[in-house]
Amino acid sequence: MGKKIKKIGVMTSGGDAPGMNAAIRAVVRACSYYNVECVGIYRGFQGLIEGDFVALTARNVNNTINRGGTILKTARSEEFRTKEGREKAFKQLQNAKVDAMVLIGGDGTFTGGMIFYEEYKFPSIGIPGTIDNDIFGTTSTIGFDTALNTVVEAIDKIRDTASSHNRLFFVEVMGRDAGFIALNSGVGSGAEEILIPEEDLGLDRLLESLKRSKRSGKSSSIVVVAEGDKIGKNVFELANYVEENLPEYEVRVSVLGHMQRGGSPSCFDRVLASRLGVKSVELLLDGKSNLMVGLVNNKIQTTDLDKAVKGQHQINKELLRVSDIMSI
């Protein structure tokens, strides 16, 4: 039986995602509900090393559920990758009498928590917060749904101008290693082609698909490209290749970039963050640690942190099949 948890720290680390504030709010209010102190850790693991802590109460997180970004800020920490840096972090937690942590972030965040647990047996629970949705052990990460809505709204507007000028638009979305945003937003926005890292479409097949669209009477097309797609070195090189080989198309490129990370979180992300935040606190109070909370079949389930980091969240093959049918 571990020692009783009296104070829990909460941090956000890695890339920001809409809904992180909702998760922070849930952790803080769950702590208040169970009469446990809560401290916010600014700037992720770097703030942990520097002891950049602030006491948080239920009233401190008023009006945060609707805010994008993270009120606790986020940063990457090279120092935490060193044994010396982690030793400093542990001493800061001891000095502040923090007994456990909730880590909101992605695989890098969870890896840090895992190593910290191995070295110091310090209890922590991970909450998956990333727009990429590339974490094993959950069907949806916090921020993914909001990012999808942002992308679809942007593509809808791009389609208006594509149709008006008979243009072919390549729209690059985030997803360096995973195509979840591209695939889902592509289907949702009616894209003619979707290029993702998991499926190598190939230049010849892309050209044939665009020719087929032209023959079928389409005067404009949208191609959604995940930034990690392997066909070309980058989306601009890909667009140039298509323009050279299909001169009948007037080609344009739109890179959506960091706008996908911002904005007020969707209702789905707010509810998901609230559920995961409450469960993370309850797990720590029950003596559980080194786990990630996630959503599977609309139920909150736990996954070992090492499995969450090493496991692979598979792309939806059925959705790929649907996208092929819809592009006819």
Side-chain angles (χ1 to χ4, degrees):
M1 184 75 176
K3 70 173 184 176
K4 184 180 178 183
I5 304 292
K6 296 180 180 178
K7 186 183 287 189
I8 293 175
V10 56
M11 73 159 71
T12 52
S13 176
D16 62 295
M20 279 185 163
N21 285 326
I24 295 167
R25 172 181 178 270
V27 170
V28 173
R29 293 198 167 179
C31 284
S32 181
Y33 181 84
Y34 288 110
N35 296 313
V36 175
E37 290 183 71
C38 186
V39 297
I41 302 166
Y42 281 112
R43 297 176 294 113
F45 289 117
Q46 191 57 41
L48 182 59
I49 290 170
E50 297 172 13
D52 195 0
F53 303 161
V54 60
L56 294 175
T57 67
R59 299 288 72 82
N60 293 138
V61 290
N62 283 352
N63 304 318
T64 58
I65 194 170
N66 59 315
R67 290 174 59 182
T70 162
I71 58 172
L72 290 178
K73 312 296 182 184
T74 182
R76 304 187 191 277
S77 176
E78 289 301 318
E79 191 175 0
F80 192 79
R81 295 176 185 271
T82 68
K83 201 168 184 66
E84 295 75 20
R86 294 191 294 274
E87 185 178 359
K88 287 181 187 176
F90 182 65
K91 287 179 179 177
Q92 294 285 10
L93 289 167
Q94 283 185 311
N95 292 339
K97 294 183 169 54
V98 176
D99 303 311
M101 287 191 296
V102 175
L103 312 174
I104 307 169
D107 54 4
T109 304
F110 299 159
T111 299
M114 239 168 37
I115 295 170
F116 203 58
Y117 181 78
E118 288 168 4
E119 292 178 345
Y120 297 102
K121 293 293 180 272
F122 195 87
S124 63
I125 297 291
I127 295 178
T130 167
I131 68 167
D132 291 332
N133 203 43
D134 57 351
I135 303 295
F136 179 80
T138 185
T139 52
S140 190
T141 57
I142 294 170
F144 177 57
D145 184 68
T146 305
L148 284 183
N149 290 327
T150 299
V151 170
V152 168
E153 184 179 352
I155 294 175
D156 285 348
K157 292 177 179 178
I158 289 169
R159 187 176 288 282
D160 289 344
T161 194
S163 300
S164 299
H165 294 272
N166 294 339
R167 285 174 177 162
L168 164 62
F169 265 86
F170 284 89
V171 182
E172 184 187 87
V173 301
M174 283 185 165
R176 191 170 52 244
D177 302 308
F180 294 100
I181 293 176
L183 178 57
N184 285 267
S185 65
V187 172
S189 61
E192 277 65 39
E193 279 297 346
I194 303 166
L195 309 181
I196 58 176
E198 294 88 344
E199 296 283 320
D200 188 0
L201 181 64
L203 286 169
D204 291 339
R205 189 181 148 197
L206 173 62
L207 291 177
E208 182 52 41
S209 173
L210 293 172
K211 287 176 184 176
R212 188 173 64 245
S213 293
K214 199 75 169 176
R215 288 195 300 268
S216 72
K218 291 184 180 180
S219 58
S220 64
S221 291
I222 300 288
V223 178
V224 177
V225 186
E227 61 182 325
D229 179 67
K230 305 299 191 294
I231 290 184
K233 289 181 181 177
N234 57 59
V235 69
F236 295 99
E237 182 186 80
L238 186 59
N240 288 337
Y241 179 85
V242 170
E243 197 161 37
E244 288 169 6
N245 287 273
L246 297 175
E248 63 269 31
Y249 273 116
E250 187 180 351
V251 183
R252 294 289 184 272
V253 173
S254 183
V255 178
L256 299 187
H258 285 78
M259 68 179 288
Q260 295 161 85
R261 281 190 180 172
S264 182
S266 66
C267 180
F268 179 87
D269 277 330
R270 298 181 197 194
V271 173
L272 176 62
S274 299
R275 293 176 71 184
L276 298 183
V278 169
K279 187 62 175 179
S280 65
V281 171
E282 291 175 341
L283 286 168
L284 288 171
L285 296 181
D286 285 342
K288 304 293 196 308
S289 182
N290 215 30
L291 299 170
M292 183 198 81
V293 287
L295 186 72
V296 179
N297 297 324
N298 203 32
K299 293 182 180 179
I300 305 302
Q301 296 188 9
T302 61
T303 303
D304 290 342
L305 278 184
D306 64 333
K307 288 184 180 178
V309 171
K310 296 173 184 175
Q312 189 171 7
H313 188 180
Q314 298 292 331
I315 205 79
N316 189 329
K317 297 290 186 181
E318 172 65 12
L319 202 52
L320 278 172
R321 190 179 72 85
V322 168
S323 72
D324 285 340
I325 295 171
M326 290 296 99
S327 66
I328 193 168

